[in-house]
Amino acid sequence: MKFLEYTPFDRINDFLRELNLGERTIKGSLEAYSCKHTGTDKRLSLSLENEILDSLGKSSDTDSSPVEFLLSRSSRKTLIYLVLTLYHMYPDYDLSAVKAHQFFTEEIWDTFKQIFETYMLEASKEWIETYGGSSLLETVYKALDEVVNLSECEIYSYNPDSDADPFLEKGAIWSFSFFFYNRKLKRVVSFSFCCLSNLVGDGFLADNLCSEEDGEIFDNMDM
């Protein structure tokens, strides 16, 4: 997998690098990767394939949807590309391909659109105030379409457990990760966006907690 630089992403990434909204900060990033193996990708790919096949060999329930999905070589290849993309985005993150499959869900554009419009509402208002013209969602759509041709894309969301989420930062209120995969172009685009509490970063919650505990202590004392 090779990181690809595309100018259509630049303005969006600059805007979402750290969008301060007072008590909250929105952060987002669009990244494109080719599915051509480079460096250690071949070894990693083979290791992931063997891990999946080994899991299939141990499974007694071949009719369950996750296992049935992995029986297809094409589906396994897609999963490996998605996992390799995660490896390149987060090289220190230890990810099991079989476990990862439980967290990837195939989506449609309307699902992504609904989530984006709901959770990125404030960011979208800031975008219009800053740039005017096309909305943030329209700009994201045009950029994605230019890079991976959305009409030919498979869309996946990645929703791991909170304690195993490489996207989840300290103080995160919510976090979403989507992958847009074009088989013909052999290209994957990841789009992750999250909302962080500035109150946690400023120590506000910890200070308040200490104040409340001190208050309770003094309440029980004879002054």
Side-chain angles (χ1 to χ4, degrees):
M1 308 289 286
K2 181 182 178 182
F3 177 75
L4 304 172
E5 293 188 11
Y6 285 103
T7 53
F9 292 164
D10 290 348
R11 187 168 63 148
I12 300 169
N13 285 338
D14 286 343
F15 177 75
L16 293 176
R17 183 166 285 113
E18 198 161 340
L19 181 61
N20 193 312
L21 298 173
E23 295 183 355
R24 297 176 300 282
T25 292
I26 299 290
K27 297 177 73 173
S29 179
L30 280 159
E31 296 183 13
Y33 294 86
S34 73
C35 294
K36 185 177 181 180
H37 290 339
T38 59
T40 59
D41 284 342
K42 289 184 179 179
R43 186 171 71 252
L44 262 176
S45 179
L46 182 60
S47 174
L48 292 169
E49 174 81 6
N50 289 336
E51 179 189 338
I52 294 170
L53 292 175
D54 183 57
S55 175
L56 288 173
K58 293 177 181 177
S59 176
S60 58
D61 185 9
T62 57
D63 293 328
S64 66
S65 55
V67 175
E68 187 178 7
F69 174 86
L70 293 174
L71 288 173
S72 163
R73 189 176 186 280
S74 176
S75 297
R76 292 199 303 273
K77 196 172 183 180
T78 298
L79 176 61
I80 288 171
Y81 282 145
L82 296 176
V83 173
L84 285 176
T85 301
L86 280 175
Y87 269 119
H88 280 270
M89 294 171 65
Y90 297 89
D92 298 326
Y93 184 63
D94 185 20
L95 185 67
S96 158
V98 175
K99 188 175 181 181
H101 173 260
Q102 301 169 9
F103 302 141
F104 280 110
T105 306
E106 191 162 4
E107 308 284 6
I108 59 175
W109 174 260
D110 285 347
T111 304
F112 167 80
K113 179 182 176 182
Q114 183 178 9
I115 290 173
F116 188 92
E117 289 180 332
T118 301
Y119 287 89
M120 297 290 278
L121 179 61
E122 289 182 81
S124 299
K125 290 178 180 177
E126 288 290 326
W127 173 273
I128 289 296
E129 289 183 13
T130 304
Y131 297 107
S134 299
S135 68
L136 179 56
L137 180 61
E138 289 171 340
T139 306
V140 168
Y141 180 93
K142 290 175 184 176
L144 285 169
D145 196 43
E146 186 173 338
V147 175
V148 285
N149 192 353
L150 283 172
S151 64
E152 297 178 353
C153 271
E154 298 168 24
I155 304 175
Y156 295 89
S157 62
Y158 182 67
N159 302 295
D161 297 331
S162 59
D163 60 348
D165 188 351
F167 299 98
L168 204 58
E169 298 186 42
K170 182 180 179 181
I173 300 170
W174 49 256
S175 173
F176 294 96
S177 306
F178 288 88
F179 293 82
F180 303 82
Y181 171 49
N182 187 309
R183 290 178 184 269
K184 291 182 181 179
L185 296 177
K186 294 186 176 180
R187 195 175 298 161
V188 177
V189 170
S190 70
F191 185 23
S192 58
F193 47 99
C194 66
C195 178
L196 308 177
S197 170
N198 293 336
L199 301 181
V200 172
D202 293 338
F204 178 86
L205 296 183
D207 290 344
N208 267 13
L209 184 60
C210 290
S211 297
E212 289 174 6
E213 290 176 347
D214 290 344
E216 290 173 1
I217 292 172
F218 288 119
D219 286 343
N220 295 326
M221 293 179 64
D222 293 328
M223 300 297 287

